[in-house]
Amino acid sequence: MSSVKDKLLYSVFPRRCKLCGEVVALDEELCEECLNTEQISGEICLKCGREKEKCTCKKEHFSAEYKGFCAPYYFEGSMYSAVYRLKDSGYKELAPEMAKRIAECVKRNFGDTEFDVVTFVPMTEKRTRERGYNQSELLAAELSKELCVPCEELLIKTRSTKAQRLSGSAERKTNLYGAFEVKNVATVDNRTVLLVDDVKTTGATLNECAKTLKIYGASAVYACAFTVTNNKKKT
């Protein structure tokens, strides 16, 4: 009887992959693609988060404001779908599993670092109202539970900016200049901060946020995301 009921419920409310939101069988938690997607591993560049052989930081003269960055996955395949389902399709239930993978990555790469606070890349109040939530805040809240480190809103976005995905590398930097401010100086001073976002492309957003936190006294800023763009070029 229970099996019949489960199948009926599945036909109306299908079970979905905990990581990307794809429909899966009743007895599965992850879809086949997520199960078979390898995490970023081996020696990585702590500026861009990519494996060393995919890093172009030196060639591009990239200078990071944060001490290190890591992400468990590249922004492709089912992980691409996961980000956009969380961000644009209201699949907020994906945040816990995504945060779990980020936490594993943070422990692996920054295991000796004691964080005082977890925070997130903010959106403007208008954009947050339009979407109903900030996906990076959802990830940070879940990551906080995984790492047993408090989550606090340290930054605010003071003005709207052109979507980063629509901007070139140089334009991204000027687009974000002065776009962030700290919410309360006292909550930043002399603290080691873990900054969270959903996806990192050029790193301009994380850099501007990290720079703002440092200006107001953060002792160190580390950054992480669920995905990072996969640079196919070799150095």
Side-chain angles (χ1 to χ4, degrees):
M1 189 70 173
S2 178
S3 177
V4 174
K5 183 180 178 181
D6 285 346
K7 289 179 180 178
L8 181 60
L9 287 172
Y10 179 71
S11 67
V12 182
F13 304 106
R15 185 176 181 128
R16 293 187 177 275
C17 173
K18 292 172 65 176
L19 198 53
C20 78
E22 189 63 43
V23 173
V24 296
L26 284 172
D27 59 346
E28 296 176 345
E29 290 195 342
L30 299 177
C31 69
E32 186 175 355
E33 187 172 354
C34 284
L35 277 171
N36 294 324
T37 299
E38 294 185 3
Q39 294 195 23
I40 299 170
S41 60
E43 189 176 4
I44 70 167
C45 170
L46 291 181
K47 287 185 178 181
C48 68
R50 304 182 184 102
E51 289 146 340
K52 286 284 189 177
E53 62 269 20
K54 296 178 180 178
C55 170
T56 57
C57 291
K58 186 175 181 181
K59 182 179 179 181
E60 296 170 359
H61 307 289
F62 178 68
S63 178
E65 295 286 346
Y66 45 80
K67 291 194 71 171
F69 168 84
C70 68
Y73 295 104
Y74 287 117
F75 186 49
E76 57 192 16
S78 62
M79 302 308 151
Y80 176 97
S81 300
V83 169
Y84 278 107
R85 282 173 176 153
L86 174 68
K87 180 184 293 190
D88 295 327
S89 300
Y91 283 45
K92 295 186 284 186
E93 67 272 15
L94 301 180
E97 189 67 23
M98 292 167 74
K100 181 179 177 181
R101 306 303 173 97
I102 298 173
E104 293 168 353
C105 185
V106 168
K107 291 174 183 177
R108 188 164 59 247
N109 290 283
F110 308 139
D112 295 331
T113 304
E114 292 187 10
F115 298 106
D116 295 308
V117 62
V118 174
T119 196
F120 50 90
V121 173
M123 299 192 304
T124 61
E125 289 185 8
K126 179 183 177 182
R127 188 71 187 95
T128 304
R129 285 196 304 271
E130 290 172 348
R131 181 172 291 168
Y133 60 93
N134 177 347
Q135 72 280 355
S136 297
E137 182 177 4
L138 293 179
L139 291 174
E142 295 296 334
L143 184 59
S144 167
K145 298 173 188 175
E146 293 287 339
L147 299 178
C148 298
V149 176
C151 178
E152 298 176 19
E153 184 182 13
L154 300 185
L155 293 163
I156 56 174
K157 193 170 185 182
T158 56
R159 60 179 174 82
S160 297
T161 53
K162 182 180 178 181
Q164 290 294 83
R165 65 180 179 274
L166 303 177
S167 307
S169 179
E171 188 182 0
R172 288 172 189 245
K173 296 177 183 177
T174 55
N175 183 36
L176 290 164
Y177 183 77
F180 302 102
E181 186 59 86
V182 296
K183 188 174 182 179
N184 184 337
V185 176
T187 64
V188 176
D189 191 42
N190 202 35
R191 301 179 88 183
T192 299
V193 180
L194 180 60
L195 175 66
V196 185
D197 206 357
D198 55 345
V199 57
K200 173 186 170 295
T201 49
T202 64
T205 299
L206 290 171
N207 249 10
E208 191 65 25
C209 287
K211 181 171 72 174
T212 302
L213 290 167
K214 287 165 59 181
I215 287 172
Y216 285 93
S219 58
V221 180
Y222 291 79
C224 61
F226 179 64
T227 56
V228 57
T229 52
N230 187 356
N231 194 333
K232 304 290 185 180
K233 297 178 182 179
K234 306 287 184 179
T235 52

